[in-house]
Amino acid sequence: MPICKRDGFDLNNTESKNETFHDNDLVFCCYITKRIFRDYENYFRHVMAINSTVWQCEATGKDGLTFEEALKSERVARKKMEQFKQSLRAPVLLVIEHARQSAVKMLNLIVSKFLRKRYFLNEEVVIGQRKNTVYKVVGIKPRKDMQEPSNGVYEDTEQLEYRLRAPNGDEINVTLEQLRRQRAEFNMENLAMFIKNSVIRVDGILRPKPEVYKQYVTEPNISFSSIFIGKMPRYSPAKIKRPEAKDAKKQSTLNKYIVKGEESVAKKKESDEARAKSLADEMERIRLEKAAKFAEMEIKKAQRKAEVMQRVEQECLYLTTKTDDLERNDQRLLPAYQPIVTLLPELILGDVFVLREFMHTYSGLLSGVEVFRQNLSFYEVSRAFSAREVAGPLSDILLVLLGTIFDLQKEEEEECPVYYVTGYGTALREPFISMGNGSRTQMYVKRHFSFKLNELPMDALTLSEVLRLHLLASGAIVSDKPDKWRIMYRNGYSSREDPGLQLRIEHSHILRALKTLPVAQLEFGDIIRIANCLMAQILSYSATINIVEERMEKMSKAKMELRTLIWAENRRLAALEANKRKLTSEHHQQCMTKELKLDTGKKEELAEQLNRRIADLMAQSDREQRKHEQQVMKLHSELFNFLVYLGMDRCYRKYYVLESMPGIFVEHTPDSSMDTCLEQPPQNISPAEIRKQAQLPKQRKDLRTYLVKLYGDSDKKSRKSANKQSLENKENQENRLNGHGQSSEPMDVSGDDEEQTPPTQTELLMCSGDSSNCIVHDGHHAERRIWTYLYKTEDIDALIRSLNPLGWRESELLDELTQLRSLILQHVKHCSEDMLNLDTDKKREKFISAMHAETHRKYNQANFGLPDDIELNEVMRLHLVDRILQFEHDIYSGDLGKLNVKDMEKWRQQLLKDEYDPQGKLQWGPRMLHNDETPADSDHESHEDFDDHEDENDEEAALLREFGRKYGRYRDPDQYIEPTDAKSETESAAASKTHQTQVRNLASALLQVEQAIGRRFMKEPFGMNMKRESKQENLKLICEARLQQWEVSLMESTSYAQVFLHLNVLNDCILWRRSTNKSLCKVCRRGTDPEKMLLCDQCNGGTHMFCMKPKMRTVPEGNWYCHTCVRELGLTNAKNQSTKQQKKRKFIVDEVDDDVDEGVDDGDGEDDDNDDNADEDEEEDNNSETSSTATSVKANGKTAATRRSSRRSGKRLKSKEIEEAIEDDDSDEAEESSVEAEDNEESEEKDEEETEACQVCFYNGCEISCVRCSEWFHLECVKLKRQPRTDFVCKKCKTIETQRPRRRPSNVDGDADDDDEEPQAKRSRSSRNSLRISLEKSAAANNNNNNNNTSNQNNNRRSGRRTNDNLPLNSAALYHLLEQTMKHQAAWPFLRPVLTSEVPDYHKIIKSPMDLAKIKSKLNMGEYQLNEELLSDIQLVFKNCDLYNVRGNEIYEAGCKLERFVMDRCKDMMLPFRPSDMNAEAIC
């Protein structure tokens, strides 16, 4: 505190520090001294005093300062003094005590010289050349040539050697010249400051202050010999000048010679004085003895008090400070948990829980998760990891995860194109080698399948191969641009961190097994490793990272709001208490008035008024308290939604609360040990002592007061009873000697046996110190359970009571359980104990039956109807045989090709009997140089043979050579994995020669089917577009080369999944719309009236003769080509017709009832929601089935081959009969020649595309026009059988209504049938039909079933086929429209649902929200039956935008712009679309 150097400048301490101030009092505050005044004069005098330069710094002695300057000087000095090195303080105090100097400056010089010549033990120093490394002095010794001083004092310290220890444990020896101290820790300034504040002058000598000396020297027990060698140097003590005694040399008088009696008087006087002096000395001695005794008693009292306080502090520290759980001795018994017993292996149970929780948490991100109805049930996951099934729930799980990865890859590629490179320069070590091989795998897929890896068709049958290729391609090296993009948007992710790369390196046996086995036949441990790898890959993408970050932001926001609520509640409670005190104070003041002192009634009235006001305050407080509790509960609920991990207990058991499974789950994995066994584990105290500790105060202040009183009272009682105890001991000793000792009686102990016998360390789940028998650190301890659970309220409460609030781990767990107790109890009350506790055979059988009952409907054909005990490879083989036969049947029956074998029926039967015979020599690959005689272990050369042809001028040869140089020879990605010596039995069995022969046979059969397909019936990448281009021949060669690459990889297949993958890729590249089984009219898009439909001799496309412009009456002679082939390929139709030849033409038609008007069913027999548009690449399940019942007429004069006797009749119609049928329908229309029809078809069709569209169905080919509004209609659309004989007036004009008709999509000239764009192989993850293909017993039975199903569908469709409600869905055009709309720059507000957190009142105004993502999902899931349904949802998006937003708003303008774009596209595509009010002016 600053010292005032002048009288009169005090700080005016007259103001009472305990004076009470009220809220409305006017005071004056001095912020420098933190004082307030009521009187302004006192305040003014105080301010003048502290601003005067009369103050002195107490630490440095500097004067002439103001009060604030002095405070600042003291702070600076104190800071400098604190910087003084701790290890030098004890030596300084020892030197001060030993030097005995009286001058401060001399003392500073002595100490400074002493410290500069010496370094002490345990002092931290640096070496001149290594200033960045701090060493510790661990030893001091003289040099070998240095003699030990005789007096023991080492004055020549330069000859000493210091042993230093580095932080890493290394030790070195250095001399004094090499050592340095940090300047901030030791300099003259902070040394002088420390000496000044640490000394006191005693009898003129500067000595250390007792408390400082005790702190740094006495208590640490430090002496000079403990910090340095030798003895302390000797210093000359300072000389102290003492004042001489007065009258010491006074001259004597001559009285003794003059007066005789004076001598005796003087002697008497001297004796009296001596006696008085001795008496005074005796009294002083007694007084000093008493004072010394009193001081000794005070010292002992102070020591006892210090001991008590030290004991209290230690107890408080132990009872309030958190320590490691295993080091505490006050642990309680934890409740016993129920072990989890399921069908799943215990080692993978935790991973299965993680999988379920992952799919539950990220259900909005996962692709195709709808197959599990938004949640993976425990029955499904139990079946997935306990049953061996090809198309079971396991395949669905992996399809969802892998499909999500592929979708995320596509999104990433849209943001930044990804290009793969094969190596990191010259890096020849892992993981760079595997990363380069991953890039080669990506190139392998593009080379042999002509698709990217994420575009391959994927279902349960191809899953194993696609998964294998994905794992092999994981971690592929990408170019610099996508690598930088990933670092920026995927939190620094790089290809080296790919989890699939790590799986490939550490568990390469999985990839080797997948080469021959289906994934469902792997070990369950390996399967769960694959699932974990896929989940880890999903978590590395930016979309998942955004979800995680959003959840974290919501959690932090909820925690902040919770803290704010608690702070506001504390303020409210404080304000409530203040209001109560204020009311009570006002009441007392009113009662103190003279008028009320004698008026008892008035007092009682005021008391009642006070009680009412306090009651009102409490009632309002209760309402606010309930509101606060509701808000806290809501925030706790939000936090609980994000909570998975609760904490750990003393033995490192982890507690989880899963959203997907009610209950608290406890994991005690063998590898969860966080440390090693303790050398001396603490022994637990008795339960009685634990109960006593539980009753102690929780607050440190209250606990300290309690312990001080407890130990103080016990100390007094012990001193009082000391004497009594000594007497009792003597009496007891005498009684024992005399034989009168009292017999010991048994103690009366109340309590349980558990309290009598303390629990063991194992029962307490504490460390036993023996690593071989420790339940904490021994992973194989007999009493450890990896997974347990609890869900009962009493068990949770017992857990809360038994947790130690002073353990590091258990305190955190206790806080979570206490805060969220109500929510946890509500969550766990639905715990399914019958699923988690299958400890008896009866429970297990009950669970298995319930599991099969729950999953039977979805997975009853998981192995395609075969027995469960059959091997999965055999299941896939049998089903592959059926698929190949069905595929060949569809090709042959649809006029797409024919096998080049002698006996087709024999070929089929031998394939069914596993006795495959190709009936000829097989050739495949480039130039057909490969054949079935090539040895299996050849070098698989596939392209280098291009160089063997010497015709350098041949353009075809040049292109093929270039293609061959690009790819080189065949290399399977699996060959880059180094084989291991140990192989599993299943792997070696699957790799047997029989298995390879069977795979080879089926691949050969598929090869024959592929080579039978006409190349004009294939689309890209294996076929060409039907357009005349200058490089048509080059494109043809390239497509042929791609197909040859497909053939090479097919014949190198080693598993059935690889053959399935080749089959699906080929299936997706076939123009199934050109099949005669699926012929639709290119004008009306219907498959009805097959007897009146002409088939194009180029593309097999059909056109009704009555749909042509003008109508065609007779079948033309020779080849007939559709309008598309004529326009695109430049083909021409014959113009001269011969009636004679027409009569010879024969047609094969179906026998259809008169009341049946059939359409063509392009979909699966079990799924009627498939796409009917020719532009859409049919789904995988569509391509394998032929449900068309109508066979159209081909116009080349030849009869179409009848390949399904059960579906087609032998009825033949001549051209004359066809003409009569046409004339019956159109008797009132003028006859036109077929030659004119062909000449005018193209010109009139272009003119009438926009003018003669039917106003009911909006298709061309109208026959009738309204005389009032001039609008055109089909006869059947206005329910007329023939042309009216009078003028036709439409219904609209008759009723004078303005209702707009619903429109249907139309493709006028069949342009939509052209597959100009490169097809994208689709994954039918959302549809389970592709995974539920039943194993057909015979082809004929299957054909009959399909025929019956199709007939039933067509019969049901007959009655309403002319209305808008039953027209087929043009999903290809709608999908294209939706893709263009979502990619529009103004579509950003409508891509995802509107969140309530972003727009709180949105769902209050918009009752039917809709977004483009939901529309796309519904379209993919087949939820739309009509075009109008999808268009109405798009209209709903813009109606909601118009309803919620106002004109001028950014989102309103974006919606208006996007809607105009949709209107234009719908107009171009002839789709009916009604705009909202935002673009109402655009309605025609």
Side-chain angles (χ1 to χ4, degrees), residues 720-787:
K720 289 181 179 179
S721 61
N723 297 330
K724 295 182 180 180
Q725 187 66 31
S726 60
L727 295 175
E728 290 177 0
N729 291 338
K730 291 180 180 179
E731 293 177 357
N732 293 335
Q733 186 176 3
E734 292 176 358
N735 291 333
R736 285 195 298 270
L737 293 174
N738 296 331
H740 301 294
Q742 296 179 354
S743 62
S744 60
E745 297 180 357
M747 297 178 61
D748 184 13
V749 180
S750 62
D752 300 333
D753 295 338
E754 183 180 351
E755 297 180 358
Q756 293 292 327
T757 304
T760 62
Q761 295 291 93
T762 302
E763 293 173 348
L764 289 170
L765 300 177
M766 295 287 289
C767 178
S768 62
D770 183 8
S771 59
S772 61
N773 189 25
C774 178
I775 194 171
V776 180
H777 302 100
D778 182 12
H780 303 285
H781 196 274
E783 297 187 15
R784 285 175 69 111
R785 296 292 180 269
I786 297 180
W787 280 99

Side-chain angles (χ1 to χ4, degrees), residues 1140-1153:
K1140 183 178 180 181
Q1141 291 180 354
Q1142 292 175 9
K1143 294 181 181 179
K1144 295 181 180 180
R1145 298 176 63 87
K1146 298 181 181 180
F1147 302 87
I1148 298 176
V1149 299
D1150 286 347
E1151 292 181 351
V1152 184
D1153 297 338

Side-chain angles (χ1 to χ4, degrees), residues 549-693:
E549 291 177 351
E550 183 180 354
R551 289 170 66 93
M552 296 302 295
E553 289 177 1
K554 289 181 179 179
M555 181 181 293
S556 60
K557 181 180 179 182
K559 288 183 178 180
M560 181 65 70
E561 292 179 357
L562 182 61
R563 286 194 294 267
T564 304
L565 274 178
I566 295 175
W567 176 76
E569 179 66 11
N570 293 335
R571 288 195 61 185
R572 186 189 65 80
L573 294 176
L576 176 64
E577 295 297 329
N579 290 335
K580 290 171 62 176
R581 288 195 300 269
K582 182 178 179 182
L583 292 176
T584 306
S585 177
E586 292 177 355
H587 172 72
H588 290 324
Q589 290 179 2
Q590 291 178 359
C591 292
M592 292 300 293
T593 59
K594 295 181 181 180
E595 299 176 356
L596 295 178
K597 283 184 178 180
L598 302 177
D599 193 348
T600 308
K602 190 68 173 177
K603 284 185 178 182
E604 293 178 355
E605 183 179 352
L606 288 176
E608 292 178 359
Q609 182 179 359
L610 174 64
N611 293 334
R612 286 196 301 271
R613 296 176 67 180
I614 293 178
D616 293 340
L617 282 177
M618 296 303 297
Q620 182 180 0
S621 175
D622 292 340
R623 290 193 295 271
E624 294 179 355
Q625 177 70 19
R626 288 193 294 271
K627 182 179 179 180
H628 168 74
E629 291 176 354
Q630 293 175 358
Q631 293 175 342
V632 171
M633 182 61 66
K634 180 180 178 181
L635 291 176
H636 278 163
S637 179
E638 294 180 4
L639 289 174
F640 183 72
N641 290 335
F642 302 114
L643 181 64
V644 175
Y645 175 68
L646 290 174
M648 286 192 297
D649 60 10
R650 64 193 66 160
C651 63
Y652 300 103
R653 293 189 300 184
K654 301 176 184 177
Y655 291 73
Y656 300 96
V657 173
L658 306 179
E659 295 183 58
S660 57
M661 175 72 77
I664 298 179
F665 297 90
V666 186
E667 180 187 16
H668 199 184
T669 54
D671 58 346
S672 64
S673 300
M674 305 295 290
D675 50 19
T676 56
C677 277
L678 301 177
E679 295 181 359
Q680 295 180 353
Q683 295 299 321
N684 210 55
I685 60 178
S686 63
E689 293 179 352
I690 294 177
R691 287 195 299 271
K692 289 180 180 179
Q693 285 188 5

